[in-house]
Amino acid sequence: MLVENCDIDNNDDDICLKAGRDSDGLRVNRPTEYIVIQNNITRRGGGVISFGSETSGGIRKVFAYHNRGIGTNEGVRFKSAKTRGGYVEDVLIAILSWRTCRWHSRSR
């Protein structure tokens, strides 16, 4: 999947990767994978790039390059619950910039 040259302005997670929820996600067991996110601008949302909170199927092989946040709460967010299971692996984030960002990164 390619997310490229977008200007996203919402009041939630701007670019958000998810992979199944709870027992249904574990049953299907299909990861979100081979994702390229590049040359995007995000505004006012929760995070420039967010992972989860639905992670039961796993998220892997993500490449994010040259993305910008303006007024987002965070740069990168990892969200999940211990009961959801799943994983996030093989993620490369390069040249991520933001202005007026509330936090740099946070894990819940």
Side-chain angles (χ1 to χ4, degrees):
M1 175 187 292
L2 174 64
V3 180
E4 181 179 43
N5 299 323
C6 298
D7 189 328
I8 300 168
D9 186 356
N10 68 30
N11 206 20
D12 202 350
D13 297 326
D14 289 307
I15 299 171
C16 187
L17 302 178
K18 297 179 180 271
R21 183 173 179 185
D22 300 332
S23 61
D24 190 49
L26 291 170
R27 180 185 56 78
V28 173
N29 195 29
R30 178 175 275 167
T32 296
E33 59 185 349
Y34 302 108
I35 308 295
V36 176
I37 303 166
Q38 63 185 14
N39 301 318
N40 299 290
I41 298 172
T42 61
R43 306 169 193 273
R44 294 188 305 159
V48 177
I49 302 169
S50 299
F51 297 83
S53 66
E54 290 84 7
T55 58
S56 298
I59 301 171
R60 64 183 179 198
K61 297 179 174 66
V62 178
F63 175 69
Y65 173 76
H66 200 263
N67 294 287
R68 231 175 6 144
I70 301 170
T72 60
N73 287 342
E74 302 165 323
V76 178
R77 298 178 83 182
F78 292 93
K79 310 183 306 179
S80 192
K82 291 178 183 180
T83 58
R84 291 226 161 122
Y87 57 88
V88 176
E89 65 182 20
D90 297 327
V91 174
L92 175 63
I93 300 173
I95 310 177
L96 173 65
S97 62
W98 56 91
R99 291 186 303 187
T100 62
C101 181
R102 199 162 157 196
W103 299 285
H104 291 275
S105 64
R106 178 173 77 193
S107 184
R108 294 182 187 179

